[in-house]
Amino acid sequence: MRVVRSVFLKLRRSYSSTSAPALIKISNASFYREYSPSSTTTSKHQNGSNPTHFSNFSFDLPSTKKYPPRWAIIGPTSSGKTTLLQILQGQLLCQPPLARSYPFLSSDAFLKTRDKHARRPIGYVGFDGEQGNLDKGASRGAYLSARFESRTEATDFTLDAYLRGNTELNPLQSFKDGSSKVDQAWEEKIERIIKDLKLQNLLGMPVRNLSNGQTRRARIAKALLDSPELLLLDEPFVGLDPYSAASLSKLLGGLAVQSNPRIILALETRDSLPPWITHLVRLSGKGIGVAEQGTKEAVMENMQKDGLLPTFNSSRLKKNDFYQDKEQLFRSNRATMKFMRQRRKVTSPFVEMSGVKVSYGERAVLGNWKIESMRSGYGEGIWWKVKRMDRWAIFGPNGSGKTTLLSLLCSDHPQSYSLPIKIFGRSRLPEQGTPGISIFEIQSQIGQSSPEIHTFFPRHFSVRQTIESGWAESMFAKPRLTNRLDRLVDSALRVFYHELNPLGPPPPTLTQAGYRWPYALDASDWADQIKFGELSFGAQQVALFLRAFIKRPKILVLDEAFSGMDSTARDKCFTLLGKAGRGLSGWMEGDPLIQRLHRSQALVCVSHVREQLPPYIVQWMCLPEPGSNKPYRMGQRRRTKALRDDPDAWDEIWSGV
């Protein structure tokens, strides 16, 4: 009977998937970003101005809601994950034109059952800077520190208004006083999604004040409220703390199982795959396209044979797995104070914060705690010193104040003028006998890569201009370069040729014996022609990392700088930060100009993923969950084992959140 039942279920699945029209049907199609007449196609493709994307690609997504396949697209940096999502959404030119179709969207079944609140049948949520900003209309003309201001303007609409679609300067009077007829089902859906994504306490906050992780959750909530038939999510877990990532994965899995909506994810090859994914499309590399597609088990078996199976699994903690009682909290405070006293003996700091507390009116966003058993000189707020040779990692849930803390360190926050902060031994405002330090002096000695810089960075800059702007006084200012600095940029472009040139050959595997990176490649042409906006999200992250690193600043600040990079790109960046990656121990031998992070420099990084931590992190700080009234914690590790290679230590740090 079991055999008969199994055969019956397989036949029923096959029948249900073939009887209904496909949601997406692509048959042996090739795609281009620009139209090319057949007579000139070959020449244009050969010179790389209009390359072919996913030649002879086929893909079927059934519209049935019974036993739906749940797809994920995986691949390394610049392999085309975002491009493939754009193709599924209907972008790029298709050859032949009729090879891509959406039969279900033109059927009577879809038109009869379509939600009246649905805006578009296929939704897309990306986080590449162009897509990742909620407050596009206001923030594009604003400046980097605008999100940290306490006063709001007419264009600073709240998260509640954003989710409901009321983002005009003069919203309907019915929205203001609630006099319009309420759609009960719609209101229940809004409340359910807000609760599922844990946005209840953020509804009255202006969207520009949301943290990076909160912004991602808000954009996914808005996409779900649009009621699409298919939702395409590009790297949805990047920037989320472990708790939020686990919660979001569970939520998306429940929706995908019910096909409400159907969901396709784009993930890095070495990311931990959600357990609810059933099928994979694996991309091989630049200019090659799809390596294979099929069930998750079959694809992962082939990846294991090829040595490509993920070696890391991010720690995903459950919120109630750990409990910290008063005695544990007291021991944690005592350890933090012991660490602080030991740090006093080191040389004069680059940055010194003495009881820093950030508030907007009556709402405290950072430092709203008081540590017990403190000796004189310490009390409320953050007491923190960043010194030469420091290697700091900042942890904490989304919204805990990590980006606010870094904005104070880099003096982007308006309150850095009034708070007790000294940067390179001087305050922002002049003191008796000592002039204040200017923002230009600070920026010349601090290199920074962050989601905020990614959002505001000009897309029309070439790859070379992007890296050279690290020496400029501002993003749009012209840097003063010497012949040595030009050669240093050439060195970086040669080393990261495969990551920054989307038209170049695919990168070699790390297992090839005796391989050396192509130092002799000429970087002058492609780096001047390729624009920053044409790069993939991972390649843009590499370019911004080099922009921050290359000028050898006294303090290197990396806020989620490695999110979106594949393991090869991350290993090469980690090599610059002090440790050679697997198979890359000799890759800098041909380029002596580009050097590793020096002992005299300080490193401060933020990450929610253990694998994205640079090696040899020594000091760490963990901020508490907002509103918990718990104090922050500090600690110091021995250099014998990297934190990213120690899952027990990672779990111990996050257990106190």
Side-chain angles (χ1 to χ4, degrees), residues 204-221:
M205 186 182 298
V207 293
R208 71 163 53 183
N209 291 352
L210 298 178
S211 70
N212 302 310
Q214 292 167 345
T215 298
R216 291 172 180 273
R217 283 186 281 150
R219 294 202 63 236
I220 293 174

Side-chain angles (χ1 to χ4, degrees), residues 376-390:
S376 59
Y378 292 99
E380 294 184 349
I382 285 185
W383 298 76
W384 186 35
K385 295 180 181 180
V386 179
K387 303 185 177 183
R388 66 180 71 246
M389 298 190 301
D390 277 0

Side-chain angles (χ1 to χ4, degrees), residues 234-528:
D234 195 353
E235 300 279 4
F237 306 116
V238 169
L240 298 183
D241 62 71
Y243 304 129
S244 299
S247 177
L248 177 60
S249 178
K250 183 178 179 180
L251 171 64
L252 295 178
L255 296 174
V257 169
Q258 301 174 13
S259 295
N260 185 30
R262 304 162 187 85
I263 294 175
I264 297 180
L265 305 181
L267 302 170
E268 185 199 326
T269 302
R270 291 179 177 265
D271 281 343
S272 296
L273 288 173
W276 47 270
I277 291 294
T278 62
H279 290 68
L280 295 176
V281 176
R282 182 169 71 88
L283 308 184
S284 53
K286 294 175 286 188
I288 295 180
V290 177
E292 61 178 323
Q293 57 178 303
T295 63
K296 179 172 68 174
E297 292 76 13
V299 173
M300 294 187 71
E301 182 179 355
N302 293 333
M303 291 175 63
Q304 186 174 19
K305 292 178 181 178
D306 297 337
L308 300 175
L309 196 64
T311 56
F312 286 117
N313 285 309
S314 299
S315 176
R316 300 300 187 195
L317 307 178
K318 295 181 179 179
K319 193 65 176 177
N320 297 323
D321 279 355
F322 299 92
Y323 176 74
Q324 200 173 32
D325 56 25
K326 291 184 178 180
E327 185 178 355
Q328 289 175 322
L329 188 61
F330 176 79
R331 288 199 300 266
S332 176
N333 294 341
R334 188 169 56 185
T336 299
M337 295 310 305
K338 181 179 179 181
F339 168 73
M340 287 178 167
R341 290 194 296 271
Q342 292 174 347
R343 298 277 300 154
R344 293 177 183 173
K345 303 177 183 179
V346 190
T347 57
S348 59
F350 288 148
V351 178
E352 183 175 7
M353 300 184 184
S354 306
V356 168
K357 181 178 179 180
V358 178
S359 300
Y360 303 134
E362 298 180 354
R363 182 172 63 93
V365 297
L366 183 66
N368 187 28
W369 53 67
K370 192 170 184 178
I371 299 182
E372 301 177 8
S373 302
M374 287 209 153
R375 296 187 177 183
S376 59
Y378 292 99
E380 294 184 349
I382 285 185
W383 298 76
W384 186 35
K385 295 180 181 180
V386 179
K387 303 185 177 183
R388 66 180 71 246
M389 298 190 301
D390 277 0
R391 300 294 184 264
W392 280 95
I394 312 296
F395 305 117
N398 296 131
S400 59
K402 300 184 297 297
T403 300
T404 301
L405 179 63
L406 295 185
S407 70
L408 294 172
L409 185 150
C410 299
S411 202
D412 290 326
H413 200 293
Q415 294 189 28
S416 61
Y417 284 90
S418 57
L419 293 173
I421 302 174
K422 288 192 174 183
I423 304 176
F424 304 116
R426 295 154 60 189
S427 301
R428 288 302 309 273
L429 295 178
E431 299 176 339
Q432 185 174 5
T434 306
I437 186 170
S438 70
I439 185 64
F440 302 109
E441 291 180 82
I442 295 173
Q443 290 183 349
S444 65
Q445 301 179 75
I446 295 180
Q448 183 183 11
S449 175
S450 68
E452 287 74 26
I453 291 179
H454 190 197
T455 298
F456 282 86
F457 199 81
R459 265 50 190 171
H460 66 274
F461 272 25
S462 67
V463 174
R464 177 181 291 276
Q465 288 176 318
T466 299
I467 299 176
E468 290 176 346
S469 65
W471 288 286
E473 293 182 344
S474 65
M475 286 185 186
F476 293 95
K478 187 175 181 180
R480 298 178 180 178
L481 301 176
T482 63
N483 181 55
R484 181 185 177 280
L485 297 183
D486 285 334
R487 291 188 292 116
L488 182 58
V489 173
D490 287 337
S491 173
L493 291 171
R494 285 192 297 270
V495 169
F496 288 88
Y497 171 81
H498 291 295
E499 286 74 22
L500 296 176
N501 186 2
L503 302 179
T509 60
L510 297 181
T511 57
Q512 291 178 349
Y515 183 82
R516 289 295 180 267
W517 300 99
Y519 305 113
L521 291 173
D522 184 10
S524 60
D525 293 333
W526 66 268
D528 291 327

Side-chain angles (χ1 to χ4, degrees), residues 67-290:
Y67 315 108
R70 299 182 287 276
W71 288 89
I73 302 169
I74 60 175
T77 299
S78 299
S79 60
K81 298 185 293 292
T82 300
T83 301
L84 184 53
L85 291 183
Q86 293 171 347
I87 289 172
L88 298 179
Q89 194 182 12
Q91 300 182 28
L92 278 74
L93 298 174
C94 178
Q95 290 292 340
L98 299 181
R100 176 178 57 187
S101 60
Y102 304 87
F104 176 73
L105 300 183
S106 58
S107 65
D108 293 336
F110 168 70
L111 298 177
K112 290 179 181 179
T113 60
R114 188 179 185 187
D115 190 337
K116 66 178 181 179
H117 295 289
R119 295 185 57 189
R120 56 180 64 89
I122 300 179
Y124 170 77
V125 181
F127 305 99
D128 57 353
E130 287 290 337
Q131 301 288 339
N133 187 19
L134 300 181
D135 195 12
K136 291 182 180 180
S139 292
R140 275 299 179 186
Y143 44 92
L144 193 61
S145 62
R147 65 170 288 191
F148 303 112
E149 294 183 344
S150 59
R151 297 185 180 274
T152 60
E153 301 180 7
T155 55
D156 295 338
F157 47 83
T158 64
L159 175 60
D160 186 57
Y162 167 76
L163 294 177
R164 296 175 184 273
N166 294 82
T167 56
E168 298 84 4
L169 290 178
N170 297 301
L172 296 175
Q173 184 65 29
S174 59
F175 174 74
K176 294 180 179 180
D177 56 22
S179 60
S180 63
K181 185 177 180 180
V182 177
D183 187 333
Q184 189 64 29
W186 173 245
E187 289 296 322
E188 291 177 355
K189 182 176 182 179
I190 292 178
E191 292 178 2
R192 184 179 69 254
I193 292 177
I194 288 174
K195 181 180 179 180
D196 289 341
L197 289 169
K198 297 178 175 58
L199 298 173
Q200 305 97 311
N201 298 329
L202 307 175
L203 294 178
M205 186 182 298
V207 293
R208 71 163 53 183
N209 291 352
L210 298 178
S211 70
N212 302 310
Q214 292 167 345
T215 298
R216 291 172 180 273
R217 283 186 281 150
R219 294 202 63 236
I220 293 174
K222 178 62 174 174
L224 293 174
L225 288 172
D226 289 341
S227 303
E229 290 291 327
L230 171 64
L231 181 57
L232 309 174
L233 296 177
D234 195 353
E235 300 279 4
F237 306 116
V238 169
L240 298 183
D241 62 71
Y243 304 129
S244 299
S247 177
L248 177 60
S249 178
K250 183 178 179 180
L251 171 64
L252 295 178
L255 296 174
V257 169
Q258 301 174 13
S259 295
N260 185 30
R262 304 162 187 85
I263 294 175
I264 297 180
L265 305 181
L267 302 170
E268 185 199 326
T269 302
R270 291 179 177 265
D271 281 343
S272 296
L273 288 173
W276 47 270
I277 291 294
T278 62
H279 290 68
L280 295 176
V281 176
R282 182 169 71 88
L283 308 184
S284 53
K286 294 175 286 188
I288 295 180
V290 177

